[in-house]
Amino acid sequence: MISPTTNFDHSLSLERKGKFLTLKVNRSKGMNMNTKLVTSKTLELPPSCMHFIPSQSQYFIVGTYDLAIGDPGSASSESRRSGSLIVFRYADKELTLVVDFPVPYAVLDLQFRNDKPECFAVASSAGDVHLYSFQCTIRACVTLEHTIRVAPSSDILVLSLKWLWNANMMAITLSNGDVAIVDTENLKIRHTMPRAHSLEAWVAAWSPLREKLVAYSGGDDSVLCRHDCSNRQDSSIPKNHADFLQDTKLHGAGVTAILPLCVDHNESEYLVTGSYDEYVRVLQITPGLKRAKLLLEQRMDGGVWQLRLLNYSQPPITGTGKACHWVLASCMHAGCRVLKIFEPAHRDEDWSLEVAGKFEAHESMNYASDAQPDPQARDVKDLTFISTSFYDKKLCVWKLEDT
């Protein structure tokens, strides 16, 4: 009998031969780089999310989540969530705490705006989206600009958010399963997809095809939804609105991460997904079809909470002629993975995935990781990575190096 914790050094892809669909085993080339810890720091509160500031790449912001359990025998028996926004500076191999900004809610997610990189949005545990700005003139400063109520009540958490490309709009997901499109210019909800998921809606993303107003969401119900809002004028969209709805056969547990890929093959949409079931998957979605095509899946040995595309100046083309997407994966109790996802060079070839490196110094759940933007980087080894772990409140700075 195979143990559920067995580590398989391969990925799986589906291949059609005539009218038969077969499962093909793609052997992984394994790790080709080591990870080296540069420095670490223990925070005051558990870190839940983090992001480098695009306009000031020496700075990054960590969001924290603290839950104070109430005493059933006292007057204050209710649990209370709070958190903070912590600004750090990392330069010349020195990690410096710049600003510790406490907030009266737990921070679930934070995302910077694409066309205004000094602006960022925060998902709160109290049902609001907060719009902030970051300025660094004489000193670093975080300023609250606006607050948008997006949940029906304050006990519903905003779990994730994602800005639309170059627009005053974002997709958000809620703990009651709702998905909504928020107009951040007029500070109101534009569309709501009530109960798009029967359990928590963990994550949202936008279609990689920018000419379409299409959002994706993943939930604890193991469902991946595609929401086409291109021609929607009404503020509330029925539950059966999704023109693509994947059942639980594709993901074996909650869908926790969605990363769109820009692929030039055709008009299909390509996504990388992460799940509590510990797998990274590459999916092809063809508009008009009700099911996604599974192109690849590989186990990460930990729940895949976050997927982030790594960008640097080197063109993403390997010596084999295959386009390569470098991805940073936050894999909960398994730590971080740096992935190389290869597109097929020819129509008769399969997608493939390599784990280029693993960072496993964390002693609890790794929910958030990022790479410092570096316009001079010509290789992934030139990048500096920062990752966090929740229960031990640890923040680590590390790099990749050759074996």
Side-chain angles (χ1 to χ4, degrees):
M1 180 179 293
I2 298 176
S3 166
T5 60
T6 301
N7 181 16
F8 294 100
D9 190 24
H10 62 253
S11 60
L12 304 176
S13 61
L14 295 175
E15 185 178 74
R16 182 172 292 279
K17 293 182 178 180
K19 64 178 181 179
F20 298 103
L21 197 63
T22 62
L23 190 66
K24 182 177 179 180
V25 178
N26 306 301
R27 294 290 172 184
S28 171
K29 296 179 181 179
M31 289 186 295
N32 51 29
M33 280 179 270
N34 292 326
T35 54
K36 178 184 178 181
L37 178 66
V38 178
T39 187
S40 65
K41 182 179 181 64
T42 301
L43 307 180
E44 294 293 327
L45 296 176
S48 55
C49 53
M50 66 157 296
H51 214 297
F52 271 95
I53 300 171
S55 60
Q56 301 281 342
S57 61
Q58 293 182 336
Y59 295 88
F60 64 93
I61 300 180
V62 177
T64 66
Y65 181 112
D66 185 47
L67 177 62
I69 305 297
D71 183 1
S74 67
S76 57
S77 60
E78 293 185 359
S79 299
R80 185 178 61 87
R81 294 182 178 91
S82 61
S84 59
L85 297 169
I86 311 172
V87 180
F88 286 94
R89 181 176 184 266
Y90 184 74
D92 302 321
K93 299 183 180 180
E94 292 289 332
L95 180 64
T96 306
L97 173 62
V98 178
V99 175
D100 192 342
F101 187 74
V103 292
Y105 50 81
V107 178
L108 279 300
D109 194 11
L110 66 90
Q111 297 286 335
F112 279 86
R113 184 166 165 168
N114 302 294
D115 58 334
K116 295 182 178 179
E118 72 282 0
C119 299
F120 66 99
V122 168
S124 90
S125 62
D128 301 310
V129 169
H130 301 279
L131 305 180
Y132 285 89
S133 63
F134 175 83
Q135 300 293 333
C136 185
T137 51
I138 299 176
R139 62 177 183 175
C141 181
V142 174
T143 304
L144 176 62
E145 304 290 348
H146 301 287
T147 296
I148 309 172
R149 164 61 64 173
V150 294
S153 62
S154 60
D155 61 342
I156 296 175
L157 286 65
V158 184
L159 297 179
S160 77
L161 43 82
K162 190 66 176 180
W163 291 96
L164 180 63
W165 308 104
N166 305 327
N168 299 307
M169 204 178 306
M170 67 171 62
I172 65 163
T173 63
L174 304 179
S175 60
N176 67 347
D178 287 4
V179 177
I181 309 301
V182 178
D183 181 341
T184 60
E185 182 176 18
N186 296 306
L187 307 179
K188 65 178 184 179
I189 295 176
R190 177 171 172 176
H191 304 304
T192 301
M193 286 70 83
R195 301 301 188 272
H197 297 272
S198 59
L199 299 171
E200 291 91 340
W202 287 123
V203 64
W206 291 98
S207 167
L209 303 180
R210 300 191 183 188
E211 63 272 15
K212 297 182 178 181
L213 188 61
V214 172
Y216 285 90
S217 63
D220 206 50
D221 52 4
S222 309
V223 170
L224 174 71
C225 286
R226 183 181 190 270
H227 314 275
D228 189 346
C229 304
S230 303
N231 300 312
R232 303 289 184 179
Q233 300 298 324
D234 50 315
S235 60
S236 183
I237 302 173
K239 185 176 181 179
N240 61 354
H241 70 281
D243 66 348
F244 161 74
L245 184 65
Q246 176 62 49
D247 61 29
T248 58
K249 294 180 181 178
L250 186 59
H251 297 89
V255 181
T256 48
I258 304 173
L259 175 66
L261 291 182
C262 293
V263 176
D264 296 330
H265 289 181
N266 47 48
E267 294 184 356
S268 295
E269 300 167 5
Y270 292 83
L271 305 177
V272 186
T273 64
S275 171
Y276 278 135
D277 67 8
E278 303 188 355
Y279 279 87
V280 164
R281 293 175 174 87
V282 178
L283 309 178
Q284 179 185 6
I285 291 92
T286 302
L289 298 182
K290 297 296 184 181
R291 300 292 296 272
K293 181 180 180 181
L294 176 63
L295 301 176
L296 177 147
E297 63 179 0
Q298 184 161 321
R299 189 173 180 178
M300 295 291 111
D301 299 322
V304 184
W305 184 258
Q306 177 188 278
L307 295 166
R308 189 160 287 179
L309 196 64
L310 300 178
N311 295 308
Y312 55 96
S313 298
Q314 180 181 350
I317 303 295
T318 68
T320 63
K322 297 182 178 181
C324 175
H325 304 272
W326 287 87
V327 175
L328 179 62
S330 298
C331 297
M332 300 179 71
H333 67 269
C336 289
R337 301 287 186 269
V338 179
L339 311 178
K340 297 165 69 176
I341 299 176
F342 296 94
E343 297 179 25
H346 306 287
R347 293 178 63 90
D348 58 347
E349 294 182 355
D350 296 313
W351 287 69
S352 59
L353 183 152
E354 293 180 15
V355 179
K358 299 180 181 181
F359 182 76
E360 299 178 320
H362 292 292
E363 297 177 359
S364 71
M365 297 295 191
N366 167 224
Y367 288 128
S369 313
D370 202 3
Q372 186 172 35
D374 183 357
Q376 305 302 317
R378 295 297 182 269
D379 190 276
V380 71
K381 296 189 294 295
D382 297 331
L383 297 176
T384 299
F385 298 90
I386 295 184
S387 56
T388 63
S389 43
F390 192 77
Y391 296 107
D392 58 355
K393 308 172 190 175
K394 200 162 193 178
L395 184 149
C396 295
V397 183
W398 51 278
K399 295 183 75 72
L400 290 171
E401 57 184 14
D402 290 324
T403 54

